[in-house]
């Protein structure tokens, strides 16, 4: 019962945060500086997710095959390869290295 109470509480808080923006701003547009910050949130969150997945819990399990795959994606992106092909290249590099080890 305590778990469901916690889930309901987190859901209500989430809904409250989401409703606070329209309630406080109304029909006014966001300031340009705030729009810039919001635009930079997605890449920052994605970088954090990739880093925590790459390094493991408490930075204790760095997977060098994932590092090589991520490096392959970075290199192919620098060579202006389409994103899907770059991701597939990184997946292939990671899979081959894991197969060989």
């Amino acid at each position: 019962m305590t778990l469901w109470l916690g889930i309901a509480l987190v859901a209500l808080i989430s809904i409250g945060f989401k409703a606070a923006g329209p309630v406080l701003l109304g029909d006014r547009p966001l300031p340009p500086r705030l729009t810039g910050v919001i635009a930079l949130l997605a890449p920052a969150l994605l970088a954090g997710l990739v880093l925590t997945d790459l390094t493991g819990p408490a930075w204790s399990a760095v997977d060098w095959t994932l590092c090589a795959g991520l490096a392959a994606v970075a290199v192919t992106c620098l060579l202006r390869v389409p994103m899907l092909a770059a991701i597939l290249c990184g997946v292939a590099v990671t899979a081959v290295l894991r197969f060989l080890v």
Side-chain angles (χ1 to χ4, degrees), residues 21-41:
V23 167
L24 294 175
L25 285 177
D27 290 335
R28 293 176 287 169
L30 289 174
R33 288 182 60 102
L34 189 58
T35 305
V37 169
I38 290 172
L40 294 175
L41 279 177

Side-chain angles (χ1 to χ4, degrees), residues 11 19 33 41-42 51 63 74 99:
R33 288 182 60 102
L41 279 177
L51 184 65
D63 186 0
F99 179 74

Side-chain angles (χ1 to χ4, degrees), residues 14-94:
S14 176
I15 291 169
F17 277 131
K18 290 178 183 179
V23 167
L24 294 175
L25 285 177
D27 290 335
R28 293 176 287 169
L30 289 174
R33 288 182 60 102
L34 189 58
T35 305
V37 169
I38 290 172
L40 294 175
L41 279 177
L45 288 173
L46 180 61
L49 288 172
V50 168
L51 184 65
T52 55
D53 186 47
L54 187 66
T55 58
W59 297 72
S60 62
V62 176
D63 186 0
W64 67 274
T65 58
L66 279 177
C67 292
L70 192 60
V73 171
V75 168
T76 52
C77 282
L78 287 174
L79 295 174
R80 306 268 187 213
V81 174
M83 185 54 72
L84 182 60
I87 292 171
L88 290 175
C89 178
V91 168
V93 167
T94 303

